[in-house]
Amino acid sequence: MTELKDEDVKYLYDQFRGEISFEANLIVQRTGWFITSQAFLFSSLVLGIPKNSSTLYNLGNSIYFPLIPLLACIISLLTFFSIFAAIKHAQLSRDKLDNLSDDCSAASISLLKKLHEVRKRSAWVIWFGALPSIFLPIIFFGAWSLIYIKVL
């Protein structure tokens, strides 16, 4: 392969960083909308309980009972897989960024190696930052499954 010029390296670096930033924004938006949707679904389930019900707090009395927990479980699974895919795509972009130095000039290589070292030292920060987005759909899936099983 031919050696890349410094401006080509800068362009590719910006492209990969843009992909990573795009995926990070997707994860934040998906997590926010997921939490919002779960709040609406739980509210709907509770508001579907008839007022004249003798057991007011029994979620099984809700007119939306079998539908809302099942829908919430499906949304939780879909959100989990979409967030996981975004994290994986960002990781692939980081790997491309790490491999960029293979075809660079000497000046670009030293800069990219410094950036790679910083990223290697802070890899745990990236994964700990992604944990809430990964585990929230799993936790909500478990909670909705528990509601569904307990009420049946």
Side-chain angles (χ1 to χ4, degrees):
M1 212 184 242
T2 62
E3 188 175 282
L4 294 172
K5 298 176 188 161
D6 287 344
E7 57 268 4
D8 294 335
V9 172
K10 171 85 169 99
Y11 174 77
L12 288 173
Y13 177 82
D14 289 342
Q15 287 295 110
F16 292 141
R17 290 299 306 160
E19 286 180 19
I20 294 166
S21 178
F22 176 76
E23 294 300 335
N25 285 333
L26 273 181
I27 292 167
V28 168
Q29 290 176 4
R30 287 174 182 163
T31 304
W33 281 110
F34 173 71
I35 296 295
T36 303
S37 72
Q38 297 301 302
F40 280 118
L41 289 170
F42 190 75
S43 299
S44 299
L45 184 64
V46 171
L47 291 173
I49 298 172
K51 288 185 181 185
N52 60 358
S53 176
S54 61
T55 55
L56 181 61
Y57 297 106
N58 185 355
L59 296 176
N61 289 341
S62 175
I63 59 174
Y64 304 116
F65 169 65
L67 178 65
I68 296 287
L70 292 174
L71 180 63
C73 285
I74 291 169
I75 291 172
S76 295
L77 287 175
L78 290 174
T79 303
F80 170 77
F81 287 118
S82 69
I83 288 172
F84 185 78
I87 291 170
K88 186 64 177 168
H89 186 263
Q91 181 63 43
L92 292 173
S93 295
R94 284 186 192 92
D95 292 344
K96 287 179 193 175
L97 196 58
D98 290 342
N99 296 329
L100 187 60
S101 63
D102 295 343
D103 303 317
C104 297
S105 66
S108 295
I109 288 176
S110 66
L111 175 64
L112 289 172
K113 284 189 178 183
K114 286 178 187 173
L115 292 171
H116 176 70
E117 286 302 315
V118 168
R119 193 178 80 72
K120 272 180 35 182
R121 285 193 308 262
S122 62
W124 65 273
V125 173
I126 295 168
W127 284 105
F128 277 125
L131 284 179
S133 296
I134 292 171
F135 283 115
L136 278 172
I138 294 170
I139 291 167
F140 273 98
F141 178 82
W144 282 110
S145 298
L146 187 63
I147 288 171
Y148 185 75
I149 292 169
K150 283 282 193 184
V151 173
L152 282 181

